[in-house]
Amino acid sequence: MTKNEFTRELKSKINHLPKAERRRILTYYYEMISERMEDGMSESEAIDALGNLDELFSEYAPATKEPKRGVRLRGWHIVMLIVGSPLWILLVAAMLCIMIAFYIVIWALVICVNLRRCTVFLCCFRCWCISFRSCHNVAYSM
C-alpha cells in the first residue's frame, strides 16, 4: 500500500470527525510514515509497521448517538392544555393562595410567641415596679 492509498483510506474512515481533528490525524500519520521512510524503510514497510489498519481505523469509528429523550408535546397534548386551562389555572391559583396563607400563619405564630414573651416580661417588670414603689414608699415614710 502506498502513502496516497493509506491517506485516502484514512480520510474515508475519519470523514465523520470535525475538520481540525481530521487534519491533526492525517498530519500525525503522514509524519509517522515519513519518519520511518527517513530511517530507511520503504513506503509499504512503513505503512505495514503501523500495524493492522482495521485496528487503527476502529479507534476513529463514529460513536453511535443515543436518541434524544426529551419530552415532545404532541398535538393533542397542546389541545388538552388549552381546553383544560380554565381548570388547571384555577388549581394553580388555589395552591398559590394556600401556600401564601400557610406562610402568613407561620409568621403570625412567630409574632404571637414573641409578643407573649414580651408581655410576660412587661408584666413581671410592672409587678417589680409596683413592689419597688411600695417598698420605697414604706422606707420613706419611716
Side-chain angles (χ1 to χ4, degrees):
M1 178 180 278
T2 65
K3 192 188 298 187
N4 290 335
E5 290 172 350
F6 178 80
T7 306
R8 224 178 298 122
E9 192 166 336
L10 182 60
K11 281 181 183 177
S12 68
K13 298 289 185 181
I14 62 173
N15 197 24
H16 63 280
L17 296 174
K19 191 174 184 177
E21 184 71 15
R22 284 190 309 235
R23 192 175 306 131
R24 186 187 66 76
I25 292 169
L26 287 170
T27 304
Y28 172 76
Y29 283 110
Y30 189 82
E31 288 176 0
M32 186 180 288
I33 293 169
S34 296
E35 285 177 11
R36 290 184 181 189
M37 288 173 60
E38 287 174 5
D39 290 341
M41 290 183 162
S42 69
E43 193 173 35
S44 60
E45 288 174 343
I47 293 172
D48 290 339
L50 292 175
N52 188 357
L53 297 181
D54 292 330
E55 290 177 10
L56 285 176
F57 298 145
S58 67
E59 182 180 332
Y60 303 109
T64 56
K65 293 183 180 178
E66 291 185 25
K68 293 182 181 177
R69 296 185 182 209
V71 177
R72 186 167 180 243
L73 293 177
R74 294 191 174 103
W76 67 274
H77 285 128
I78 295 170
V79 170
M80 291 304 290
L81 283 172
I82 293 170
V83 171
S85 65
L87 178 63
W88 64 261
I89 288 175
L90 290 176
L91 288 173
V92 168
M95 287 300 294
L96 205 75
C97 289
I98 289 170
M99 288 169 55
I100 290 171
F102 185 71
Y103 183 76
I104 290 171
V105 166
I106 295 296
W107 277 107
L109 288 172
V110 168
I111 291 170
C112 287
V113 167
N114 286 332
L115 283 178
R116 176 77 176 146
R117 287 182 186 160
C118 289
T119 305
V120 169
F121 173 74
L122 290 175
C123 186
C124 291
F125 182 72
R126 186 173 165 218
C127 291
W128 180 78
C129 287
I130 292 172
S131 65
F132 180 74
R133 274 192 219 140
S134 55
C135 291
H136 189 65
N137 288 340
V138 170
Y140 281 123
S141 60
M142 290 183 152

